[in-house]
Amino acid sequence: MHLRFYSAPREQRHIVRILFIVPIYAFDSWLSLLFFTNDQYYVYFDTVRDCYEGEDARRFCSRSQFL
């Protein structure tokens, strides 16, 4: 709904970024399971997932202090 009725870009872009954590986290987890036997790739997927999760937590906390 936020992408269909994008009427307040300053507020909604933060909400959309927070909402995108679910598909990105799921896709990265799936890739991690796919390459679980190869530690060389697993480390990179795990690192990217953790960095995105930390960045999203930062966005959520900075956005919630304005409410």
Side-chain angles (χ1 to χ4, degrees):
M1 295 300 286
H2 285 285
L3 292 176
R4 183 178 293 167
F5 301 106
Y6 202 71
S7 59
R10 283 189 73 161
E11 294 176 16
Q12 285 177 309
R13 76 171 168 210
H14 299 292
I15 295 169
V16 170
R17 286 179 186 168
I18 291 170
L19 290 176
F20 270 119
I21 191 171
V22 175
I24 290 174
Y25 195 80
F27 182 69
D28 189 56
S29 296
W30 178 73
L31 285 176
S32 294
L33 286 174
L34 193 64
F35 295 107
F36 185 69
T37 57
N38 194 347
D39 288 337
Q40 181 180 2
Y41 298 117
Y42 179 74
V43 171
Y44 295 119
F45 292 134
D46 196 35
T47 304
V48 168
R49 184 179 63 218
D50 289 344
C51 289
Y52 185 77
E53 184 179 6
E55 180 65 22
D56 197 54
R58 183 193 67 81
R59 285 185 200 139
F60 179 75
C61 290
S62 68
R63 183 71 190 144
S64 64
Q65 81 186 55
F66 292 117
L67 297 177

